[in-house]
Amino acid sequence: MTTMTATQATLEIDQSRLWDALMVMAEIGKTERGGSGRLTLTELDKQARQLFIRWCEEIGCTVTVDRIGNLFARREGKRPDLEPIAFGSHLDTQPKGGRFDGVLGVLAGLEVLRTLHEHDIVTERPLLLVNWTNEEGSRFAPAMVASGVYAGEFTHDYILSRTDRDGVTFAEALRKIGFEGDAAIGEPSFARFFELHIEQGPVLEEEALDIGVVTGVQGMRWYDITFTGQAVHAGTTPLSYRNDALCAASRLIDSLTQHALTHDPDAKVTFGELTIPSSSRNVAPGEVRLTVDLRHTSTEKLDALEIAYFDKLAEAGETYGVMIDQTCIWDSPVVAFNDDNIASVEASAKAHGFGYKKMMSGAGHDAVYISKIKPTSMIFVPCLKGISHNEAEYSSPEQCAKGAQVLCDVVVEHANRV
Ligand SMILES: [Zn+2]
């Protein structure tokens, strides 16, 4: 599909075979508007897993399943004693999700294995294609939990006890679809990990680039706040006598957003959920609940943003005479990916003449947890208007293929390093 320098022979992936695999997989749980709805550990997820296993076994791979349903397809190397090079992503989707989020990383991995199989090439190290269970977290919170258990971030018991909206536990759902495997948590082991994923943001498309060489993941901090004032009559209570919880919340939303806009263009501040319990049009709200999501690519600047948040929050409470109760519910540190992996991804993109840039991921991925135990990095490809977690999610066959080609290069390069 591309020209390479004479010194580097290219093993070319097959764009149309990759696209066909994506479209066949998308039939499982196809939604009305052309997306995919394959919640984790459902009958549809089971079908997707069975198809994945069939495709891997057809080309001579051996698939093992661990105790929490993670799937590992192994292609033997010349040196079975060496740790494999791993790559993959997730086949589960949001309830009304797209055809590419996660699925591309798994099926591009399959395309790498098919390409090697077709050319009868055996790498030195074995290869390991992974489908991580429940990346999305939309049925069983939190997200990325199975790669988290694999990496030792959560316990086995913790994941088994998570429940969905209907009170079904992860353990029950896993057994129901028959994917509680024999492999111990943390098995099989591997030497390093690569994850190809759609960007889920607009930057690559805006800048007309092919590849994001992902150097790390933004840090994130989540807060839940309750503002408590006094619910009062809209007609009889003068403004100067009020302790309006919604006014305090509004003050925080606007003042912190303005602060970030003027002080730090890279800061991200989001107030995604606002609840006014027992709201009424003629009552000034006595209680308001608000969620805050702070993100930054630099730990130092994330700290500074958090201090600004504390200041603005206190000021909002004082201004309106409202009590504040806040809890930090998630603190995900800034992640730096492995330099050696990053250099390989960049070298491949450059060798093919693909437009690329180094960038941080704004979203969490399985690679975040895996990066804590193994050298890891990610490859991004553009997606239309940055739309994701949406049925309209789209990356073109060419865009997918370029990402798969880079994945193929880096996997083969590292699999031949002994
Ligand atoms: Zn994903």
Side-chain angles (χ1 to χ4, degrees), residues 220-223 252 256 259 264 267-269 292 294-296 298-314 326-332:
M220 307 171 222
R221 289 178 199 167
W222 286 4
Y223 286 88
L252 171 70
L256 186 60
H259 171 89
D264 185 354
K268 295 196 181 73
V269 177
V292 185
L294 306 177
R295 301 192 190 205
H296 211 293
S298 137
T299 304
E300 226 171 49
K301 290 182 175 170
L302 184 57
D303 288 343
L305 180 64
E306 190 178 46
I307 288 168
Y309 155 67
F310 292 146
D311 288 350
K312 303 293 177 196
L313 180 61
Q326 57 125 22
T327 356
C328 180
I329 60 155
W330 196 35
D331 181 351
S332 176

Side-chain angles (χ1 to χ4, degrees), residues 81-99:
D81 55 310
L82 297 176
E83 283 199 316
I85 299 301
F87 45 103
S89 193
H90 58 97
L91 291 171
D92 71 318
T93 75
Q94 292 284 323
K96 288 199 170 167
R99 297 171 292 174

Side-chain angles (χ1 to χ4, degrees), residues 84-276:
I85 299 301
F87 45 103
S89 193
H90 58 97
L91 291 171
D92 71 318
T93 75
Q94 292 284 323
K96 288 199 170 167
R99 297 171 292 174
F100 303 90
D101 173 3
V103 189
L104 175 64
V106 177
L107 297 184
L110 175 72
E111 177 52 34
V112 172
L113 299 177
R114 284 176 165 174
T115 302
L116 288 163
H117 181 76
E118 178 186 39
H119 292 87
D120 214 7
I121 292 169
V122 179
T123 50
E124 295 290 327
R125 288 173 181 274
L127 301 177
L128 199 63
L129 172 58
V130 190
N131 170 44
W132 300 109
T133 300
N134 186 36
E135 191 278 342
E136 295 291 358
S138 44
R139 182 174 179 201
F140 300 101
M144 299 134 56
V145 68
S147 54
V149 172
Y150 181 93
E153 283 289 314
F154 307 109
T155 64
H156 188 189
D157 286 345
Y158 172 76
I159 190 173
L160 294 180
S161 65
R162 309 306 298 155
T163 51
D164 70 6
R165 235 173 251 178
D166 304 322
V168 178
T169 65
F170 183 99
E172 288 162 351
L174 185 64
R175 276 167 212 149
K176 191 170 178 203
I177 67 160
F179 273 90
E180 186 184 34
D182 299 330
I185 303 296
E187 295 291 334
S189 182
F190 48 80
R192 54 181 75 231
F193 183 68
F194 291 96
E195 181 169 2
L196 169 67
H197 206 280
I198 58 167
E199 181 199 348
Q200 302 182 286
V203 176
L204 293 174
E205 185 184 68
E206 284 280 317
E207 300 184 19
L209 297 172
D210 305 307
I211 297 291
V213 178
V214 188
T215 57
V217 182
Q218 290 187 111
M220 307 171 222
R221 289 178 199 167
W222 286 4
Y223 286 88
D224 282 348
I225 316 172
T226 304
F227 296 90
T228 311
Q230 181 81 45
V232 293
H233 194 293
T236 58
T237 317
L239 289 182
S240 58
Y241 285 81
R242 296 187 188 184
N243 305 102
D244 189 316
L246 185 57
C247 287
S250 316
R251 174 86 168 202
L252 171 70
I253 294 169
D254 189 50
S255 63
L256 186 60
T257 305
Q258 286 303 324
H259 171 89
L261 274 169
T262 46
H263 289 80
D264 185 354
D266 296 327
K268 295 196 181 73
V269 177
T270 306
F271 303 92
E273 285 177 34
L274 182 137
T275 317
I276 309 174

Side-chain angles (χ1 to χ4, degrees), residues 52 61-62 71-89 105-106 108-110 112-113 116 122-132 150 188-196 338 340-341 344-345 370 374-377 379 406-418:
F52 170 81
C61 296
T62 313
L71 305 183
F72 302 88
R74 179 181 169 108
R75 183 173 196 265
E76 204 46 89
K78 289 179 196 160
R79 298 277 309 273
D81 55 310
L82 297 176
E83 283 199 316
I85 299 301
F87 45 103
S89 193
V106 177
L110 175 72
V112 172
L113 299 177
L116 288 163
V122 179
T123 50
E124 295 290 327
R125 288 173 181 274
L127 301 177
L128 199 63
L129 172 58
V130 190
N131 170 44
W132 300 109
Y150 181 93
S189 182
F190 48 80
R192 54 181 75 231
F193 183 68
F194 291 96
E195 181 169 2
L196 169 67
N338 177 266
D340 201 8
N341 281 34
S344 296
V345 172
I370 301 306
K374 298 291 174 185
T376 295
S377 84
I379 305 158
V406 171
L407 181 69
C408 183
D409 291 0
V410 299
V411 163
V412 171
E413 178 203 336
H414 283 273
N416 285 330
R417 275 200 212 169
V418 290

